[in-house]
Amino acid sequence: MEQRQFAARVGSLAAVLTLAIVLTTGRASAHVKYVTPGSDPVEVVAFLVTALSDPFTLTVLAAGGVAVAAGATLYLRVRPARRDVAVFRETMTSYRDLLPWLLRLSIGLPLVGAGFSGYFFSPVVQTTVPTFTRLFGIGVGFLLLFGFGTRLVAAAGLLAYLVGLAFEPALFLAFEYVPGLLAIVLLGGGRPSADHLVSRLAAADTVYSRIDPFYRVVAVPFVRRVQPYTSLVPVVLRVGLGVSFVYLGVGQKLMNPGEALAVVAKYDLTAVVPVAPELWVVGAGLTEILVGVALLFGAFTRGAAAVSFLLFTTTLFGLPDDPVLAHVSLFGLVSALLITGAGRFSVDARLRDAAAESGREGPSVSAD
């Protein structure tokens, strides 16, 4: 019952934050802002009318939608390379013990980079207290990397982000820190970490165990309290990333086309794929929305995570002016989803259960 209530709260938070997309698009800027500062604004309605009145654009978008739907349907019916897919999932699942380490690296590294660069979570957010900003990023980042006081440090980082978000909506650009830090709070430091070493020393008959006032009184009870919720880490990760993708697609492509068009012009992307700039922007926005919705509902989750990884690789590393370190968190979190899959409360879980009940397929060949 507690898990269902927790999942319901996560779902409610996702709904509220998705609604916040509309409320924050006027003040925040996506990672395209990093490479096109000061781009001319473009009227949204006029842009969409121009883009969607082009028969070629409509044909390409419709063909893409039909191809995605047909591909998903065909996969569910044919299930190609079943053994290959099963081995892939089994291998990914075998890495679960490394998940806390992956999450710590994914969040700790960009925070250290943020501290040394002097920005607060996102490169577009500069504070009036640069010394604190640097110390915060470097301190929290290094503690996460070392895995020392991991849950407490992650909780402090999450609180700092949420307080900052209340004053600076542009922090929504770095929303992936919310699921990342929350997942670390639930999982702890894992191994290897300083926390793991300390716990081993405190649990054994050692000199340290006789003087540690924290382990048995605070750490052990807290771990027992959050243990029932650790199975919801995949839900936390995919919902958080789903909200981020929908925000980038709607708020930073379709609702802020001027900056996206500036990126297309700056890097001459129409020479790479010879289509209208409007099609580039609308296509990128709809792709991000589609990936985000798939993650939110947990449909083909590992496939959506793989597509996300490809999107990050081609866009971020293809733009030489983009601060890639700021997006290490996104790479890490989608990598984590490749390990965990969709988890509970997802379309993938329903498909897996239905297949298991029918006796036709086992759990290892579900849609995720």
Side-chain angles (χ1 to χ4, degrees):
M1 179 63 69
E2 289 183 348
Q3 290 182 343
R4 290 185 177 275
Q5 291 175 346
F6 182 81
R9 290 170 186 169
V10 171
S12 299
L13 177 62
V16 171
L17 292 173
T18 302
L19 177 62
I21 291 171
V22 179
L23 302 179
T24 60
T25 50
R27 295 179 60 184
S29 304
H31 71 265
V32 296
K33 189 66 151 181
Y34 311 152
V35 297
T36 57
S39 57
D40 296 330
V42 174
E43 208 282 319
V44 176
V45 174
F47 167 79
L48 292 176
V49 169
T50 299
L52 298 180
S53 62
D54 181 6
F56 179 76
T57 297
L58 287 176
T59 300
V60 171
L61 295 177
V66 170
V68 170
T73 303
L74 184 63
Y75 174 82
L76 291 175
R77 289 183 176 275
V78 178
R79 303 283 186 166
R82 298 189 186 191
R83 183 56 186 164
D84 301 74
V85 173
V87 170
F88 173 80
R89 290 177 182 143
E90 291 167 3
T91 303
M92 290 293 104
T93 302
S94 71
Y95 299 148
R96 275 185 178 260
D97 64 313
L98 300 175
L99 188 60
W101 190 22
L102 173 60
L103 292 173
R104 288 192 290 113
L105 292 174
S106 303
I107 301 299
L109 284 172
L111 279 179
V112 170
F116 278 110
S117 300
Y119 58 82
F120 190 66
F121 287 102
S122 171
V124 300
V125 178
Q126 306 287 333
T127 70
T128 57
V129 283
T131 301
F132 169 79
T133 302
R134 291 177 180 273
L135 291 176
F136 170 82
I138 294 171
V140 172
F142 270 121
L143 286 173
L144 289 177
L145 290 176
F146 290 134
F148 184 73
T150 308
R151 286 187 168 95
L152 180 61
V153 171
L158 179 59
L159 178 62
Y161 174 87
L162 294 175
V163 171
L165 181 63
F167 293 94
E168 181 51 78
L171 274 178
F172 211 102
L173 292 168
F175 183 75
E176 69 273 7
Y177 280 102
V178 171
L181 289 168
L182 183 55
I184 293 173
V185 171
L186 293 175
L187 292 177
R191 50 188 295 270
S193 69
D195 286 344
H196 181 256
L197 174 60
V198 170
S199 68
R200 294 294 295 272
L201 288 171
D205 184 16
T206 62
V207 173
Y208 178 81
S209 69
R210 300 176 195 134
I211 62 175
D212 185 336
F214 179 80
Y215 178 71
R216 291 181 178 85
V217 176
V218 178
V220 172
F222 182 81
V223 171
R224 289 174 178 168
R225 186 172 182 82
V226 302
Q227 188 65 36
Y229 302 108
T230 56
S231 64
L232 294 173
V233 166
V235 182
V236 170
L237 291 176
R238 64 176 173 79
V239 169
L241 283 172
V243 170
S244 296
F245 268 102
V246 173
Y247 172 70
L248 290 175
V250 175
Q252 301 305 309
K253 299 296 189 303
L254 302 185
M255 300 297 291
N256 267 320
E259 293 174 359
L261 288 170
V263 173
V264 174
K266 179 175 181 178
Y267 296 103
D268 196 17
L269 296 181
T270 55
V272 179
V273 178
V275 297
E278 292 79 8
L279 180 53
W280 262 99
V281 174
V282 174
L286 291 179
T287 299
E288 290 177 339
I289 293 169
L290 178 61
V291 171
V293 170
L295 292 175
L296 280 170
F297 288 95
F300 297 94
T301 305
R302 283 191 171 98
V307 171
S308 304
F309 201 95
L310 179 63
L311 287 174
F312 297 148
T313 301
T314 55
T315 57
L316 298 181
F317 288 103
L319 303 180
D321 301 331
D322 199 295
V324 176
L325 181 60
H327 305 292
V328 167
S329 52
L330 290 171
F331 281 95
L333 295 188
V334 297
S335 299
L337 277 180
L338 288 174
I339 294 174
T340 66
R344 306 174 62 188
F345 314 110
S346 64
V347 172
D348 290 338
R350 293 292 298 272
L351 291 172
R352 181 182 62 240
D353 294 342
E357 289 176 3
S358 68
R360 292 182 291 104
E361 297 173 325
S364 62
V365 288
S366 60
D368 66 345

